[in-house]
Structure formats: C-alpha cells, structure tokens
Amino acid sequence: MPVSDCELVDAWRQVLDLSGIAAGRTVTVLTSSDTNAQTMRTAILAAQARGAIVNRLDLLPVNGGVSLSRDPLAYVGTTPLTGNHAALALLKASDLVLDLMTLLFSAEQHEILAAGGRILLAVEPPEILLRMVPTAEDRDRVLAASKVLRAAREMHVTSAAGTDVRFTLGDYPILEEYGFCDRPGRWDHWPSGFLATWSNEGTASGTIVLDRGDILLPQKDYVRDPVTFTIEKGYVTDIQGGLEADLLKGYMESFNDPEVYAVSHVGWGLQERAHWSVLGLYDREATIGMDSRACAGNFLWSTGPNNEAGGTRDTACHIDIPMRNCTVSLDGRAVVRDGKLVKETGE
Ligand SMILES: [Fe+2]
C-alpha cells in the first residue's frame, strides 16, 4: 500500500538522527536503474533538511546479462563500482552513503568501510521501510543478543523436521543488523533486526531439513516438500527433495563454481515487525525478502561468499535460507526454541 512522502521523510529523519547525521555532514545517495524514486526523493529531502551536504551518484547497472534473476542479491561480487575509481573516491569521502542500489558483497564496499565510511542499504519498497523504521530499541535488542553470540564457540541447530547441524564459531566477526549506522565504518541494512556470523572454515557439519513453509531466497519460494541438505566440512555436499530441491540444484550448478556450496552466514531473526507471510503477498521483483530474513525467532543460514566478513570467498551465488520452528543453541544454551525467541537472551 502506498505511503506519503511526508511519512517517508519522517522515517528517513529518524534513520539519520539515529545515525548521527548533523549539519555539514556529507551524505551521498547511491542510485541505479532499479532505485525506488520515492525512497530516493525522500532521502534527499530529509538529508537536506538536516543541513547535510547531499550528493546523488547514479551508476549504470551491471550483471544483467549474467544473472538469472532481477533480485539485486542474486548475483554478487561485481558492482558498478568495480574499477570505478572516481565513484569510489566520492563514496569514501562521504560521511554516510545511502545505498539505494546494492553494493553488498563487493570489495569496494569493504574498502569504503575500511576508510571509516558508513553505508546504509535501503532497497525494500517504501511501505516495508516505513513498517520497520529502525529504533534505538532495535539496536539494544540486537546488541544484547550479540553479547551471547560473541561469547559462544558452537552453534547447534535442531528441528522436528530433522535438522541437526553444528557450526564452530569465533574466527569471523558478528554482523549486527539493526537498521542504522551510528559509528564510522559501520554497514547496516534498513529494514533488518538480526544477527549473523560465519562458522570457522571447514567446520559446518550435519543435516539441515527445510520444512514446508521455509523460504529460499532469491527464489522467493515457500518450499512445499522437505529439502534435505547434507553439510560436511563447511560445504553442502548433497541436496535432496522434490521440485524445489531440483530447481535449487540447477540454479546453483549454473554458476559453475564449487564455492557456491560453501556455508556462509548463520544467525537468527530478532525483528517483531517482520512477518513470515509477507513474501506471499508481493510479486517476486517487488521485494528482496527482508521480512523473512529478520523475522523474530527464525534461523537464517546461507551459502556462498564470506568476503563480507573479511574472508576471501567471493563467489557470485548467494542463497539465503530463513527457516521456522528451529531451536538455535549457543554452547548448549537456547536463544531460539522451536522458532520462538528465548526471552532472557534478547527478545
Ligand atoms: Fe545473506
């Protein structure tokens, strides 16, 4: 349902306030062919009203000829910034980049952040942004749960459907997504509200069984028949199931890259304003599926790159797989039980 410019300007104002953007700061709005015009317009209005110096950088799309999907997260690694030193210089000189294009998983994003820049990704449609405009409480909830994750050395995930998988933790950083950038060098995504980390290389091991209603992204399907993943030494080594499993195998094979089978980030959702049902209410090209990624009490795991976490794996294929009704335990302590957040660890 549409939202008014006034509502979205107010939402941006809240995001900019939480990100500490004051008069004289430089905000660059990064756009491309698929950027939502209202999101861009209202971002510029809100930043200008803050007294910020506002740039707009519009870059040409890439990967259209090689990706099998229009989803911006379906083919990652190469972006319009690749080899574009002039654009990169502008972004590195900005206090805050509002990424309305999708730089995620690019080496250039890492370079901007390493230089102390901040990047906020915002590509969901305006009404989803408005429903999940970030708050300080979102940050507090994510950071409280992050303390538990940071201390853990093993994540164990089980489900009645048959999931039983373990991840050794500690070598990679924790991704705390709460929807705004309140310190230099920080990347975040509006809307969000979840935690993720990466298992130590070669350690993910066990079985993951998607149950009816679990979600594949960027396929944006609720699976109808169980899909069973065998995971050995950090890689998916077998996928069995019905139609969704066959289609997924074909999609992953199309990249012709053994690294597509690596286990990527693992974590769980903490956002009560995210809803599992939303994916079924939108056309596939109208959303990237953040409701399912952030939904409180989910287990979210993925395959593909780890360069976002400082690793060297930069495969172009990234599958995010949010699951319901799992129990997620850290060193034997449940943070999610049967798909519900355990209160004392960060609801
Ligand atoms: Fe992901």
Side-chain angles (χ1 to χ4, degrees), residues 124-133 190-191 278 282 287 291:
E124 285 286 37
E127 67 278 8
I128 294 181
L129 296 178
L130 194 61
R131 172 162 48 83
M132 290 192 275
V133 64
W190 171 27
V278 167
Y282 275 76
T287 175
D291 274 90

Side-chain angles (χ1 to χ4, degrees), residues 105 265 302 318 320:
F105 299 108
H265 57 80
S302 67
H318 182 53
D320 277 319

